[in-house]
Amino acid sequence: MNAYLKNLLAAVFTLGALSVHSLVAQEAGLIVHWELSPDLSQNSGLRAVAGGVELSLVGDPKLVRDPGPPRVELPGRDEKILVSGKLEKAFLPERDITTEAWVRVDRVTQWGGFVSHLQDNGDYERGWILGMQNDHFMFGLAGEGLKKLTYLAAPKSFETNRWYHVVGTYDGTVQRVYVNGELGAESREQTGAILYPPKAPFVIGSYEDDDERYPLTGAIHEVRLYRRALSADEVRRHYTAHKSLFPEPAPTPILFRPDYGPFVDWRDRNSAVVTWETDTEVPTRISLQLPSGKFRELGDGVARRNHSVVLDKLERDHEYYYRLVAPEREGRPVVSGRYQFDTSFYYRVASIPGERTTSASATADSKATAAQILAQTGTRDGYCLVLGATDGQLALELVRQSNLQVVVIEDNAERIQAVRKRFDEAGVAGVRASVQEVSGPDLPYGDMLANLIVSETALATGQVPKVPAAEVHRLLRPVGGSLFLGSSHANAAAWKKWIAGSPLESASVGTDSGAWVSFRRAKLVGAGEWGHQYGGPDNSSCSQDELVRGDLQVAWWGDPGPRPMPDRGNRNPAPLSVSGRLFVQGNRILFGIDAYNGTILWNVSAPEVRRANVTRDCSNMAASGDTLYVAHGRHCLAFDGQTGARRQRFAVPVNEADGPRDWSYVAAGESILIGSRVKREATYLGDDGEWYEEYAPDQVSRVTSDMLFALDPRDGKPVWQYRGGAILNSTLTIGDGQIFFLESRNPAAIKAPGSRLTNEELTDQVLVALDLKTGKKLWEKAHDFSQLQFMTYLVYGKNTVVVTGTDKGKNYHTFAFNAPPTTRPPGGGDDLESGLGGRVLWADVHHEDKGHHSGHLQHPVVIDNVFYSDQRSFNLTNGVTLRKDLPERRGCGVMSAGRNAIFFRHHFQSMWDLETNKRNQFEGIRSGCWLGLIPAGGYLLAPETSAGCSCTHAIQTSVGYIPKALAKQGL
Amino acid sequence: MKRSAFALAALLMGSGLLLATDWPTYRSDYSRSGVSPDPVPASVVEAWSWQSPQPPRPAWQGEAKWDGWNKVFDMKPRQIFDRAFHVVVSGGKVYFGSSADDQVRCLDAATGRVLWTFHSEGPVRLAPTIREGRLYFGSDDGCVYCLKADSGEQVWKVRATPKDRRIPGNGRLISVWPVRTSLVVQDGSVFTTAGMFPSEGVHLIALDAATGAERWRQVQTDLPAQGYLLASRTSLYVPAGRDNPAVCDLSSGKRVRVVEGAGGTYALLTDDLLVFGPGKTGQLGAVEEGQRDQLATFQGNHMIVTATRSFLHSDHELTALDRARFLELARERKRLAKEQGNLVRKLKALEKKAGTEADREAVKLQLADLGKRIDEATQGMDHCQVWRADSIWPNCLILGGDMLVAGGRDEVAALRAKDGTVAWKHPVHGRAYGLATANGMVFVSTDEGTIHCLRAARTQAELSPTPPDPDQPTRTPRLEAVGTVVANLEGSR
């Protein structure tokens, strides 16, 4: 019995109730023919045109009839089409096979499958696949002879968004792949019957086996499977007969890129405004995809430069998509990239009903007092504690006139009831205002959480609070937490007595009318800041914070959680914290957060703000004082740290000869803003889930800048510009008035300015030092850095600049150079006499100590004169090895530090106390696979960075930890 | 077969000790069965609805949008216990807590009139439980409360942890040790937990139901406790947020084991299984009593179990399974898989110790045979489906009498348990995450803070003149016509 009959009978036997008729192919050797058309849908699947095997739709792939051809649209997510598992074996061809499909690929991926049944797991290779390998169609098959897969690719690249007829055939000796009726490639490598795995998914629309999955982004019209190899003529006839069904692709759209924006700012819970600007006056609109899937065009179509469109009636918890659309040019549509706006990312305080005339109505006095307190303290966000209530009117007015969340602390049951009633009637209970029954001198609240402390009782009676002044001070948030207490009929002496000897002693006591005590808490002494990717611009990964040490306890937790964050492994820009605020970059969304209580001060959807693989690039954020600087397209934007207002923007220097450039590096100080520029396409985005851990050109290539420049952020005036070789962004480092970097002088690298370049292109590297104020070159040093293959880091400390990275074998190579200061201190040494740096001080080579994923990508830490790298430490200036026994950690997170502790990811968020040499883990909560734990302001700040982890870590949230010792001190 | 503690618990919870027509705790009983013997009406009208001044404020927004490494999209939120104000019903009254305004309310089940309210000092995220005229609940303020169910008068209040420290948590000033599990009241004791961060200590406690006096306390330092507790006669099942539930001894609180799975706060006890999920992709895992590892997994978010059927509820469909046959095959497959593991180890050992080719081939043959038998068992499990129905109501599922009720977006629907046909649909305000049925009424809780009470249609006018066609597919059609130039660009994304 020949194989065909045998298999046919097997199929009949297996199928049971299915009629033989349905199995008899209409065409010789045809096993099954599926058309992915809505006309063939039944139940949750699709019936076959011939062959009787039903398909199951997984996810929610869209079946589209009009405009033709009928097809399934696959968005490249978890959608796929499965052949029923219990039938597949009976249908698989034994030796001779033709697999045929009409497909449209919209996005090129490393691997892709149109129809497949395979396993390719290491050395274990079985089955077959019709699909693509990058931008080449491919037919892969494993035969009994070779026992490995041959992925036979057509040599010509395909175009995206265009329909193709793709066929793979094999007859036991020759394997062929055809594209649009023409033979693309053939191979005689495989022989014998097809070698099948015992179990594998029989899938349409995905390359999928036990350990890999590459979903197709595109569309499939039909799939056919034969038990014989079609001839070249037959393939051509099939193509010719059907090609008229498939329209030529629409004209390729011209990418529209706004000069500035877009940004989406919330107006209220149900509406937001999209703003963007164009270089010239253009009548742009928005094409918005609604939850129904339909599209709506928004905008008045008037030519202008500043555009804004209100999105109203927004549904909660929904992902909206939109594009900016400009007038057609040369018959081609002009549209922007596809942006997303997620209405679940609404973090403002709950809106409250308008005031009604009820018992909740406030008196004019309480309104005026609330307004005065808010004006005088400048506080509008966060937590307000009211020490003692009378009737809740002041508390209610504070709610109405600000974004504060008010907590009234009271011990009298009747007053508690009255105030609760008032809050209930005003519709603010709980989410905006609450009453807690608390008595006694010690309040049960965590330290440093209050943005504002007032007292209704004191206002009404003039009496000092029952709570001691030191206890009240303990609750105030540093860097601006305000206290405003008193009364027009208070006795100043009593208030002065109350604050005497306490940390509030320096409070201002106004006595013009009664007594008014006001106080604004300063920054904690010894608190550090994390204003740049690796702490400071020196890349030391040390915030210089002296307070975070010993045992820590949770000080706050909450949003953002994992939902707005990018995947944990993309090597995303680190969070920043300066001036008591925490800045977090989500997936194209920015957050400003109160570092001491987790209040989300602002957030903005900024779809052009995204960067990944910072290992081979630099961050797009820096913070200084009250400002957050963010690279955004051609600009660097200055956000108000407290409100998120976009206060200023600075344009990247451009000239016509170079063409357009994006702002890349950002470092900020009070009077200087440093930037660099790249071509837009140089930036890694991480949108395909890349983790950038392997040694491959698309993972380790470095983003390079073609210009470094400085400007004055106060007025935007340029200060200096530097152009030399191809500057490796990952090495830009600032310390003691100098800016250091590596640049490649290879002509090939210089000829590709501002690009992403391979190691092979980045030869002839030179370590360069410029004067930070003038941009003038101080010295340079050519050196062999060719072993720094996976990555290149540079850090500075103690007149020493250290270059480090790993080679392909995951060996760390470290080189330390002297870097004398630009101004000569008294008694300066030899280096100053020579006026040059760049002398090699020491070097080290060692194999990675931790093999867990990305153990070879560790960024070093410098604390004082100690250089921590991998699991070792060295004397920074002379290279003497100090330790080789740093606490074990998982590989994927990198270290960060204060002066007394190092933080990293082990299984969970972890801390190594340098004084006690003790390692703590915060069970149940993990950090990301990069840098997400930052000690700043006396707290360990741990915004959520583990997003996407399939693991069962119990908690995914942002957390602030406070040292227990700091809490006890009540500083 | 060992008559399990689960079964005994189900008997106790489902009948004698609790009024059959009440719904005195979340999902009816401490097995969280979601089953009531009371039949859900064959057609319904809205009796009343109650609207909260503020919608629920869930503690957790949801999972990441995707797992970039594994290319898993639309991951399931694993902590979904507080998306609506879940109600309990007892003695003609409806009770629920609020995560928005910190209160517990009592409404007249017949009219929806508010009878009393009680303020706690933090969000009340989980439904209270009623027992012998007392109402018990916990709050993010870190306290456990006992009230008189008829009046709301406080009987006792106990701080669940020795210390009282309040900090900003999930956007509110609450206890470091919030009560984030429900309460179980059984044999004169109240069981609950307090705490979320293992590094701060997570307390499992038993209190005297009459006085609130402490009976025992255990402190976990590895897992949080979040979600609805489940209980059998001997064990307490403690959901752990995104992680897997822990099983503790009810008499002492001591940890017995942590079961294996993909995590999640949804859980259900049956005669002999703990079912929980939804993991990262909407998958329920089933673990047999006394076991740690999983017996089977199901693609779904919720499950209802009766003596003969299991109803599996996923995002898009509802399926009825032949329960006994399915479990039989699942056990067989698990046994075979274990055998397969042993053989694989044996084969590896033979390869290491250079066993003879014949030895290795013999093992390989056995492995091939086992593989076939495992496939057969798997296919057999696939054949256990009694019926399936498309569903656009993925948020929750209960069974009242012979009628399943499922909650969706802006709509709830009743489906006949015998065949999955739709009996009725009713509009609601928002996504229906909470369902309860008692005394012939259906209560729906939505993420908009609305509670709807549906009762039987009594008059001809109230009866739907055109009942839905059960043969008509109810799933939203996948057809999507896209027209404009821009829309065409989206077809591929």
Side-chain angles (χ1 to χ4, degrees), chain A residues 72-107:
Chain A
V72 63
E73 290 281 355
L74 297 160
R77 294 164 62 108
D78 51 359
E79 286 77 6
K80 61 187 171 188
I81 298 115
L82 285 176
V83 180
S84 173
K86 57 196 169 200
L87 301 181
E88 67 189 36
K89 285 197 166 43
F91 276 78
L92 292 172
E94 261 193 357
R95 192 192 69 177
D96 296 9
I97 181 173
T98 295
T99 174
E100 173 182 6
W102 278 95
V103 300
R104 192 194 73 222
V105 179
D106 296 336
R107 186 163 158 270

Side-chain angles (χ1 to χ4, degrees), chain B residues 336-384:
Chain B
L336 293 170
K338 193 175 175 185
E339 206 175 314
Q340 188 182 41
N342 291 337
L343 280 174
V344 168
R345 280 190 289 277
K346 186 175 175 184
L347 183 61
K348 279 183 183 169
L350 285 172
E351 281 167 353
K352 270 187 185 172
K353 292 175 186 171
T356 66
E357 185 65 26
D359 291 343
R360 288 196 293 271
E361 285 305 313
V363 175
K364 282 178 185 171
L365 278 175
Q366 289 179 64
L367 273 172
D369 179 55
L370 267 177
K372 278 182 196 163
R373 288 160 66 194
I374 289 171
D375 284 350
E376 283 166 11
T378 306
Q379 287 171 11
M381 289 162 74
D382 289 345
H383 284 124
C384 289

Side-chain angles (χ1 to χ4, degrees), chain A residues 548 552-562 565 575-577 582-584 593-595 598 896 903-904 908-910 922 925-928 931-936 939-946 955-962, chain B residues 197:
Chain A
V548 185
L552 308 185
Q553 62 188 26
V554 177
W556 60 263
W557 82 87
D559 286 322
M565 300 306 292
L576 309 176
S577 181
L582 170 64
F583 301 111
V584 176
I593 298 168
D594 188 316
S896 58
F903 307 92
F904 53 94
F908 305 104
Q909 294 172 350
S910 301
F922 302 100
I925 182 164
R926 68 159 280 189
S927 41
L931 204 165
L933 300 169
I934 54 172
Y939 277 41
L940 172 63
L941 299 169
E944 153 52 29
T945 50
S946 68
I955 306 166
Q956 281 190 320
T957 188
S958 296
V959 186
Y961 296 96
I962 181 174
Chain B
F197 290 91

Side-chain angles (χ1 to χ4, degrees), chain A residues 511-753:
Chain A
T511 56
D512 286 350
S513 168
W516 299 94
V517 178
S518 62
F519 179 81
R520 190 175 173 83
R521 190 165 181 181
K523 178 183 171 183
L524 293 177
V525 176
E529 296 200 325
W530 196 281
H532 293 76
Q533 169 67 25
Y534 302 110
D538 59 3
N539 292 349
S540 64
S541 286
C542 177
S543 66
Q544 308 303 329
D545 193 292
E546 297 171 359
L547 303 174
V548 185
R549 64 204 303 176
D551 291 336
L552 308 185
Q553 62 188 26
V554 177
W556 60 263
W557 82 87
D559 286 322
R563 194 144 182 81
M565 300 306 292
D567 189 73
R568 63 207 178 282
N570 293 155
R571 323 281 150 174
N572 304 302
L576 309 176
S577 181
V578 300
S579 304
R581 302 186 191 98
L582 170 64
F583 301 111
V584 176
Q585 188 176 151
N587 185 10
R588 297 169 168 88
I589 182 171
L590 292 169
F591 292 90
I593 298 168
D594 188 316
Y596 289 103
N597 57 36
T599 300
I600 294 186
L601 302 169
W602 55 269
N603 71 286
V604 60
S605 169
E608 294 287 351
V609 175
R610 176 74 180 119
R611 196 167 292 186
N613 201 3
V614 169
T615 316
R616 281 84 186 196
D617 196 352
C618 53
S619 175
N620 53 359
M621 296 202 300
S624 175
D626 290 322
T627 307
L628 171 69
Y629 297 93
V630 180
H632 173 278
R634 305 170 204 177
H635 299 98
C636 180
L637 308 186
F639 288 82
D640 183 295
Q642 182 67 21
T643 66
R646 297 181 282 280
R647 278 197 313 230
Q648 281 172 286
R649 82 181 90 147
F650 310 101
V652 72
V654 287
N655 54 49
E656 255 183 48
D658 293 337
R661 289 287 187 275
D662 275 5
W663 192 300
S664 186
Y665 177 73
V666 190
E670 249 179 55
S671 58
I672 195 160
L673 179 64
I674 306 290
S676 75
R677 55 176 223 181
V678 297
K679 287 180 181 167
R680 162 169 259 219
E681 59 272 20
T683 302
Y684 290 92
L685 297 175
D687 287 336
D688 291 327
E690 304 95 326
W691 280 20
Y692 308 111
E693 294 179 345
E694 305 302 322
Y695 191 82
D698 60 346
Q699 300 192 33
V700 303
S701 289
R702 312 297 204 270
V703 178
T704 64
S705 292
D706 66 347
M707 181 192 285
L708 193 61
F709 52 89
L711 53 81
D712 188 328
R714 293 166 295 193
D715 55 17
K717 286 186 178 164
V719 178
W720 55 258
Q721 293 180 0
Y722 169 85
R723 298 191 73 164
I727 299 167
L728 277 70
N729 285 1
S730 64
T731 64
L732 284 159
T733 306
I734 298 171
D736 287 337
Q738 300 170 83
I739 179 162
F740 309 95
F741 51 87
L742 296 190
E743 65 177 23
S744 166
R745 302 274 172 84
N746 179 11
I750 295 170
K751 276 185 191 167

Side-chain angles (χ1 to χ4, degrees), chain A residues 557, chain B residues 59 81-82 120 122-127 136-145 158-161 174-184 190-196 202-203 205 207 225-229:
Chain A
W557 82 87
Chain B
F81 49 85
D82 61 347
S120 78
V124 182
R125 301 191 174 279
L126 296 112
Y136 301 84
F137 74 98
S139 163
D140 268 5
D141 66 12
C143 294
V144 181
Y145 296 81
V158 168
R159 182 156 294 284
T161 49
I174 60 171
S175 173
V176 174
W177 301 276
V179 178
R180 285 274 172 96
T181 58
S182 63
L183 279 62
V184 162
V190 178
F191 303 94
T192 192
T193 72
M196 239 188 58
V202 174
H203 297 244
I205 55 171
L207 307 173
Q226 292 195 89
Y228 281 91
L229 292 177

